[in-house]
Amino acid sequence: RNSTFINYQAPIYGCSWCVAHRGGYEMEFWNVSMTNCEHIAHFKHGIGGILVDGDGTLGTGVAGGTVVPPTGQWRTNSDCTVDPTGRYTMCGGVVRRVNVAIDQWTSPWWDTNIKKHYPLLIATDITEEDMDAGWDKWNRAQDETRVSCLKDSGCGMYHYGTPIGAEACFEQAPKMRYSFLGQIGRRYLITWVDQNYIRTTADVQVSVTKMRSDEVMILQFTHRPPLYPRLPLRASVAQG
């Protein structure tokens, strides 16, 4: 609040102390200015923080706008713009961290990695999408891995793919859960894809950090794994 940043490449480094795929903490900015700064922020990974532009002076030009990591789910959102530097995305509305815990897997999956990084959660913004038979923006690309989740490769051009967050020597949220960033008022398709690019299903628990009672976000799941018949889906919603 009431601060000026002078002579920085990027004055803000989101979640610099977080382990991979964990974090997503908020930081608010009010009445800030920048002089001789190349860009607003840099993020360590795909959920490396949510910068809240309280009065529009951080750079979004919108009171309550947000600056977030430049991951793929924002590229199908007309309310968000990826900065030309590829270092961050600016959105005109509220962004929350969505946390997904696995109660149990309901179909087989494969992962031969020692640290068990798969299946990846794939989050795709489908609010404005025409999901015809040829729509495939949720598909995990051949070069898509858990290693990198910024700029144009690593975690999906039009979605966000992520493993469960790594364990840490000191606890960081969310513990043993998948997480991704989503904008309030949007609809997201959530799928899991294993090491062999096969879709996987699970029973899950979902929480959204700091979400208010007047905010809405729609999450759409599939419970039809390959080689299996359709399964009934039951969802319970609790507020508290």
Side-chain angles (χ1 to χ4, degrees):
R1 182 184 293 268
N2 303 327
S3 300
T4 298
F5 299 99
I6 303 174
N7 298 334
Y8 283 91
Q9 182 185 31
I12 306 161
Y13 185 21
C15 220
S16 60
W17 54 271
C18 296
V19 297
H21 313 295
R22 299 178 73 174
Y25 304 106
E26 287 187 6
M27 182 180 294
E28 293 188 8
F29 293 83
W30 299 79
N31 190 27
V32 297
S33 61
M34 299 185 189
T35 301
N36 195 29
C37 295
E38 290 186 16
H39 46 268
I40 297 172
H42 178 72
F43 293 94
K44 186 176 181 179
H45 53 69
I47 59 163
I50 303 169
L51 310 183
V52 180
D53 192 354
D55 55 3
T57 59
L58 184 61
T60 66
V62 178
T66 47
V67 178
V68 291
T71 46
Q73 75 272 35
W74 311 121
R75 293 189 176 92
T76 58
N77 184 338
S78 61
D79 192 42
C80 299
T81 303
V82 179
D83 187 77
T85 65
R87 295 181 180 273
Y88 56 88
T89 294
M90 293 189 292
C91 296
V94 176
V95 171
R96 301 293 189 199
R97 185 183 74 209
V98 182
N99 314 298
V100 183
I102 303 297
D103 282 344
Q104 64 176 354
W105 296 102
T106 55
S107 69
W109 49 271
W110 285 264
D111 183 354
T112 61
N113 288 266
I114 295 175
K115 294 185 178 180
K116 302 298 180 186
H117 297 297
Y118 297 94
L120 298 181
L121 179 148
I122 308 291
T124 313
D125 188 329
I126 59 174
T127 310
E128 303 168 46
E129 293 295 295
D130 182 11
M131 299 175 67
D132 56 21
W135 185 84
D136 64 352
K137 292 181 179 178
W138 69 275
N139 280 334
R140 179 180 158 222
Q142 289 295 318
D143 61 349
E144 186 175 337
T145 69
R146 65 173 186 85
V147 178
S148 174
C149 275
L150 298 178
K151 295 196 175 182
D152 296 335
S153 63
C155 64
M157 178 61 77
Y158 297 107
H159 62 249
Y160 177 57
T162 179
I164 289 178
E167 295 184 2
C169 57
F170 61 96
E171 196 47 60
Q172 300 174 28
K175 182 179 181 180
M176 295 305 295
R177 297 190 178 199
Y178 293 93
S179 57
F180 67 93
L181 302 183
Q183 187 179 12
I184 293 301
R186 308 289 295 185
R187 184 187 189 101
Y188 293 89
L189 173 67
I190 311 300
T191 54
W192 282 269
V193 180
D194 74 2
Q195 185 178 19
N196 296 327
Y197 300 89
I198 297 175
R199 190 172 66 248
T200 306
T201 64
D203 292 336
V204 302
Q205 294 184 30
V206 179
S207 63
V208 184
T209 304
K210 290 191 174 182
M211 191 170 185
R212 304 184 333 197
S213 60
D214 60 345
E215 296 176 342
V216 175
M217 182 188 299
I218 299 174
L219 305 179
Q220 179 174 324
F221 297 84
T222 174
H223 257 233
R224 187 182 184 183
L227 310 180
Y228 282 75
R230 287 189 179 275
L231 301 176
L233 174 63
R234 182 179 67 184
S236 298
V237 178
Q239 181 180 338

